[in-house]
Amino acid sequence: MSTLQMPPVNEPDRQYYFIDKARTYVRQLGEALGRTPRACITTFGCQMNSKDSEKLLGVLEEIGYEESSEEMADLVIFNTCTVRENANTRVYGRLGRLKPVKKKNPHMMIGLCGCMMQEELVVNKLKDSYRFVDLIFGTHNVYKLAELLVMRFESKGMIIDIWEDTDKIVEDLPTERKYPFKSGVNIMFGCNNFCTYCIVPYVRGRERSRRPEAILSEIKRLASEGVVEIMLLGQNVNSYGRGLPEEITFAKLLEQIAAIPGIQRIRFMTSHPKDLSDELIEVMAREEKICNHLHLPVQAGSSRVLKKMNRIYTKEGYLTLVKKLREKIPDISLTTDIIVGFPGETEEDFLETLAVVKEVRYDSAFTFLYSKRSNTPAATMTDQVPEDIAKERFDRLLKEVQEIAHERTQRFTGQVLDVLVEEVNQHDPQYLTGRLSNNLLVHFPGSEDLIGQIVPVKLSECKGFYYLGEKLEQGE
Ligand code: SAM
Ligand code: SF4
C-alpha cells in the first residue's frame, strides 16, 4: 500500500483525512436513500456536553449529514450524562424506544457518547443487551467521530472506543454553533477535585487547561463572526492555568478576553469556592463586560457535611466570600447548586443549609437529591439518608429557594436594563425573548431582526422568575 493512502498520525490532520473518507460513505448512503442523510444529536446534562455536541454536529455536517429531528434521522447520537442515576435511566428508556425504529430502517445508525460511556458497567450492559447500538465512544475522543464512523461504515459491527483518560487537547476541528451571537468556549477539561459524591473526575479525567493563545484566537474568530457573548466553560474555572507553561490565572485570562473588540458579555461556569481569588473578584468588579452573575455552588451549609464532601471550604469561609463579593460588586446575582440527603446529613445539618440559603438569598438555585454514583467514596458511606427523609428535606429547601428567588427577581421592576435578544418567543411570535446580564429572562414585543443585538428594555412586570418588558426606542 502506498504511504500516501495512510492516515496522518498527527491531529487535526488525521481527522480531516477521515472527514474526507466519511464524506464518500455518506454520499453513497445518500444515493441509496435518494436524499441527503439526516442526523440528530440529543444532548443530556451540562454545558460541557452541549459544547461537545456542537463539535459532533460540526463534523457531521462537514461529512454530508443534515440536521433533523430524532424521528427523521438516519444517525441518532445520544451525548449522555451520568452525574445522577436518573440521567442513566433516561438514556436506557430512549434507547429502548429506538430499537423498533431501527428495525424498520436498516440504514439507521445509533451512536452513544459522553460521560455515561466512561462507566465500565454501562458499556458491558450495552454490549450484552443493546446489540443494535452501532457506535460507543467516551468523553476523551469526541474529536474522533469521523474516524469512528469510517470504522463503522467499513466493519458493519458495533464499534467501541473508550479511553480511560487523556492529556490531549485537539484544536481546530469543525464545529456547528447553535446560536450565531453567543457561544460556549472550553477553557479547561476534566476535574481534580474529587468531591466524594461526584463521578465527574472519573468520567472526564484529570484537569487540563487549554493554552491561552488557543482560547484567545478562538474568541477573536468568534467575535469576527458576530458573536457578542461568550460562556467560558470548565468544571472549576478558578483553577485555570495550573500546569500550563505560562504564568496565567483565570482572572488574567478574563482581562485578556475582555480586551477583544466585539465581545460584549462574558460569562463563565463553574466557580469552585475554594479557588475564588481576590484577584478574580477585583477583575469582575472592574471589567464591565463580565456579567453581573456568579454561579457559586455551596452544595451544603454544614461544615461537617462539607468536610465529608471534600469541598475544602467551611460554611464560614463560604459566607465570608459572599460578603466580599457583595461588597465589591453590590448588585451581583448569585446562584448555586445544593445537594440534599448526602450520607450522614442530619436534620441539624440540613437546617444549616436552609440558614445559609436564607442568609445568602440566592437569585436562584439548582437543588438536587443526593444520588449514589458507583465507585465514588460517598457511595460506600454507611450512613445513607433514607429516601423519604431526603425527599421531605428537598421539598422544604425548594420552597425556601423559590420564595427567595421570587423576591430577589422583583428588585429590577421599573428599571431599564440591557437585554441580549436570543429568539422569537416560543409561545407568542409577537414577542422576543432575551437575557439580562444577570441571566434573567425577559420577554418583550419586537421583531425578529433584533435577534443577536443588545437592546435597552424597561422591565415593566415581574412574573416570578422572568420579566415582561418594553424595548426603549432611541431618544427615550
Ligand atoms: N464542577 C461543578 C462544581 O463543582 O460546582 C459542578 C459540576 S456537576 C456536573 C453539577 C452539580 O451536580 C454539582 O454542583 C452538584 O450539586 C450536582 N451533583 C454532582 N454529583 C451529584 C450526586 N452524586 N448527587 C446529586 N447531585 C450531584
Ligand atoms: Fe464534581 Fe466537585 Fe469536580 Fe465539581 S468540583 S465536577 S462537583 S468533583
Side-chain angles (χ1 to χ4, degrees), residues 10-29:
N10 292 330
E11 301 293 2
D13 298 350
R14 184 178 172 88
Q15 291 317 308
Y16 280 103
Y17 167 91
F18 282 108
I19 284 174
D20 250 4
K21 211 163 177 200
R23 219 179 263 133
T24 311
Y25 287 115
V26 176
R27 196 177 49 240
Q28 286 165 2
L29 175 64

Side-chain angles (χ1 to χ4, degrees), residues 6-285:
M6 293 292 282
V9 174
N10 292 330
E11 301 293 2
D13 298 350
R14 184 178 172 88
Q15 291 317 308
Y16 280 103
Y17 167 91
F18 282 108
I19 284 174
D20 250 4
K21 211 163 177 200
R23 219 179 263 133
T24 311
Y25 287 115
V26 176
R27 196 177 49 240
Q28 286 165 2
L29 175 64
E31 282 161 13
L33 293 169
R35 58 168 171 77
T36 307
R38 298 184 285 243
C40 173
I41 302 173
T42 303
T43 312
F44 299 83
C46 66
Q47 267 130 338
M48 296 278 182
N49 269 12
S50 304
K51 183 68 196 170
D52 283 346
S53 290
E54 290 188 357
K55 296 176 187 170
L56 294 169
L57 189 61
V59 169
L60 291 181
E61 294 199 339
E62 197 69 24
I63 64 181
Y65 280 101
E66 92 187 354
E67 198 184 3
S68 75
S69 65
E70 194 173 305
E71 295 73 40
M72 308 280 283
D74 306 295
L75 169 62
V76 173
I77 296 182
F78 289 161
N79 188 1
T80 62
C81 167
T82 187
V83 170
R84 285 164 290 276
E85 181 61 31
N86 56 8
N88 291 34
T89 315
R90 276 172 65 206
V91 169
Y92 290 125
R94 297 278 291 263
L95 211 46
R97 290 206 291 278
L98 275 186
K99 190 178 179 182
V101 183
K102 184 167 173 176
K103 245 192 177 147
K104 276 194 230 146
N105 179 359
H107 291 288
M108 186 178 182
M109 285 204 269
I110 299 173
L112 295 173
C113 64
C115 295
M116 196 175 148
M117 299 307 121
Q118 294 293 139
E119 289 180 273
E120 206 180 329
L121 276 177
V122 169
V123 176
N124 288 340
K125 181 166 171 171
L126 292 168
K127 279 199 280 195
D128 291 342
S129 314
Y130 295 82
R131 292 297 313 166
F132 58 96
V133 172
D134 297 277
L135 209 57
I136 299 176
F137 55 109
T139 53
H140 304 302
N141 51 354
V142 163
Y143 72 89
K144 271 183 72 182
L145 176 62
E147 182 171 347
L148 297 171
L149 271 173
V150 167
M151 283 165 75
R152 173 64 189 79
F153 277 119
E154 291 179 351
S155 81
K156 309 287 176 214
M158 190 189 238
I159 302 289
I160 303 178
D161 190 19
I162 308 287
W163 302 359
E164 255 181 43
D165 203 351
T166 184
D167 53 6
K168 214 173 190 166
I169 298 178
V170 178
E171 302 282 355
D172 300 325
L173 280 170
T175 178
E176 179 60 38
R177 279 187 282 112
K178 194 167 168 203
Y179 299 96
F181 52 86
K182 68 171 187 177
S183 179
V185 175
N186 295 112
I187 63 165
M188 58 207 295
F189 302 92
C191 180
N192 282 356
N193 290 314
F194 291 95
C195 302
T196 54
Y197 50 81
C198 186
I199 200 167
V200 170
Y202 307 91
V203 296
R204 286 267 170 190
R206 293 294 60 71
E207 181 182 290
R208 53 212 181 275
S209 293
R210 264 178 94 191
R211 301 295 291 266
E213 321 84 77
I215 298 170
L216 293 168
S217 71
E218 179 179 344
I219 297 174
K220 281 179 195 156
R221 183 177 47 74
L222 290 169
S224 74
E225 291 168 7
V227 167
V228 293
E229 178 179 300
I230 52 153
M231 163 77 97
L232 306 173
L233 299 171
Q235 292 298 350
N236 177 11
V237 290
N238 299 343
S239 66
Y240 173 77
R242 269 183 218 160
L244 285 180
E246 45 275 272
E247 281 275 307
I248 183 147
T249 58
F250 180 53
K252 295 215 165 62
L253 179 74
L254 275 176
E255 279 185 315
Q256 293 176 26
I257 294 170
I260 297 176
I263 296 298
Q264 297 183 54
R265 281 184 173 181
I266 305 168
R267 302 185 185 279
F268 51 85
M269 78 185 308
T270 301
S271 279
H272 195 305
K274 79 179 168 66
D275 297 313
L276 189 95
S277 64
D278 289 350
E279 185 198 17
L280 177 60
I281 298 177
E282 296 289 342
V283 171
M284 288 180 70

Side-chain angles (χ1 to χ4, degrees), residues 402-446:
Q402 287 186 339
E403 273 171 23
I404 294 171
H406 200 203
E407 284 166 29
R408 288 280 295 163
T409 305
Q410 290 184 33
R411 72 190 190 278
F412 304 106
T413 306
Q415 291 187 27
V416 175
L417 293 175
D418 282 344
V419 172
L420 170 59
V421 185
E422 298 199 341
E423 59 192 6
V424 172
N425 186 282
Q426 286 168 9
H427 303 291
D428 184 344
Q430 308 291 315
Y431 274 70
L432 297 171
T433 296
R435 276 178 201 276
L436 298 177
S437 161
N438 68 11
N439 217 26
L440 269 181
L441 279 176
V442 182
H443 308 292
F444 62 99

Side-chain angles (χ1 to χ4, degrees), residues 351-364:
L351 289 176
E352 283 196 76
T353 299
L354 270 187
V356 167
V357 165
K358 285 182 191 161
E359 182 165 344
V360 176
R361 295 181 58 74
Y362 293 104
D363 289 81
S364 78

